[in-house]
Amino acid sequence: ETNTLPFHPFEMQQGDILRMEKEHQVLKEQLKEAQEKYEQLQSRSSEEISVLKEMIKKSVEETKVSKNELDWLNQDLEIKVKKWQQEKKENQENLKAIRNTVKKHMDTNDRYSKTIDEKEKQYNINFNTCLETSNKLANEKVKLEELIKKSQDDYQEHMKRAVKAEISVLKNWKKNEVYKLNAIAANADKNLKMLKSLSSSASALPELKSRIDSWEIFISNIKKQMEKVEVGYEEKIQMVKNGVRNCLTKIEAVDLSSP
């Protein structure tokens, strides 16, 4: 029966002592770990405390420096405040002067605005009048352009007719002058034939030969004059066709005295 029943009063049931010893061992190990952690924390805390002391010492020194800087800043601030007050006073005076100037400018601007409104009304009236006049002028311009075109067409037609008329006149003059020269040449040729028929007879005069030569020269000159007249009139006709004006002048043959 040994170790088969609980050992009173230490055990309520069998195995309590062993379980307690195991728990005691676990607690000892946890206590050891906690002690090691405490020692580590204490060491780290000591280092942090020394660092904080150094920081506090440095902060105290910086505070002293900051106090000196603060005093200097206060003095500088007082100077700047006085300067700012002086500038504020000057700015207020300047602002007052600017307000007066602005008021004057606003009054002037109001006058100018009224003047501009009146000018704009007058401009609109003048613009509308000008627009109406422009439309009228445009319509008149269209009518004038149509009239000009019609006049140009009429002018071209008249010019064509004038050219035809001038050519017709020149041709008639040429025809008349050539006809006159042909008549003179025909009459001279008739006289020449009569003289030649007389020269074939035995009783012909000796001076008849010279008379025949004179008539032949006369007829040759007439033909030259005829050719000159024809060429002159043809040149004038061509000039008229090319647009040259004032070509209506007669070309008359030289007055040749018949033998």
Side-chain angles (χ1 to χ4, degrees), residues 166 170 173 233 235-237 239-240 244-250:
E166 288 185 11
L170 290 171
W173 284 351
Y233 275 111
E235 287 179 352
K236 284 181 175 292
I237 290 170
M239 289 171 65
V240 171
V244 181
R245 297 293 170 263
N246 300 323
C247 293
L248 285 178
T249 55
K250 286 187 176 182

Side-chain angles (χ1 to χ4, degrees), residues 97-112:
I98 291 171
R99 284 177 177 172
N100 293 330
T101 304
V102 169
K103 187 176 183 302
K104 290 180 181 178
H105 287 325
M106 288 181 67
D107 294 338
T108 304
N109 189 35
D110 290 337
R111 290 198 303 272
Y112 286 162

Side-chain angles (χ1 to χ4, degrees), residues 60-74:
V60 169
E61 293 175 354
E62 290 177 352
T63 302
K64 291 179 180 180
V65 174
S66 297
K67 187 176 183 303
N68 293 330
E69 291 178 353
L70 182 62
D71 293 338
W72 178 80
L73 289 173
N74 286 329

Side-chain angles (χ1 to χ4, degrees), residues 217-228:
I217 293 170
F218 178 73
I219 292 172
S220 176
N221 290 333
I222 290 295
K223 290 181 177 179
K224 289 180 180 179
Q225 286 294 317
M226 192 183 304
E227 184 179 357
K228 181 179 178 182

Side-chain angles (χ1 to χ4, degrees), residues 73-89:
L73 289 173
N74 286 329
Q75 292 176 359
D76 185 61
L77 181 62
E78 289 177 0
I79 294 170
K80 288 184 177 179
V81 166
K82 290 180 180 179
K83 184 179 179 181
W84 175 79
Q85 289 176 348
Q86 181 65 28
E87 290 178 352
K88 180 181 178 182
K89 184 178 179 182

Side-chain angles (χ1 to χ4, degrees), residues 86-145:
Q86 181 65 28
E87 290 178 352
K88 180 181 178 182
K89 184 178 179 182
E90 293 176 355
N91 289 335
Q92 287 177 345
E93 293 175 355
N94 291 333
L95 181 61
K96 184 177 179 182
I98 291 171
R99 284 177 177 172
N100 293 330
T101 304
V102 169
K103 187 176 183 302
K104 290 180 181 178
H105 287 325
M106 288 181 67
D107 294 338
T108 304
N109 189 35
D110 290 337
R111 290 198 303 272
Y112 286 162
S113 296
K114 292 179 181 178
T115 304
I116 289 171
D117 291 338
E118 294 175 358
K119 295 290 184 183
E120 188 174 2
K121 290 179 182 178
Q122 188 63 36
Y123 168 78
N124 289 329
I125 294 171
N126 294 335
F127 178 77
N128 292 330
T129 304
C130 181
L131 189 61
E132 292 176 359
T133 305
S134 177
N135 291 333
K136 290 180 181 179
L137 290 175
N139 293 331
E140 292 179 1
K141 180 183 177 183
V142 171
K143 292 179 181 179
L144 287 174
E145 287 177 348

Side-chain angles (χ1 to χ4, degrees), residues 1-18:
E1 295 180 350
T2 301
N3 292 330
T4 58
L5 295 173
F7 181 51
H8 295 288
F10 301 105
E11 290 182 328
M12 296 300 295
Q13 58 184 1
Q14 188 181 2
D16 284 343
I17 292 175
L18 292 174

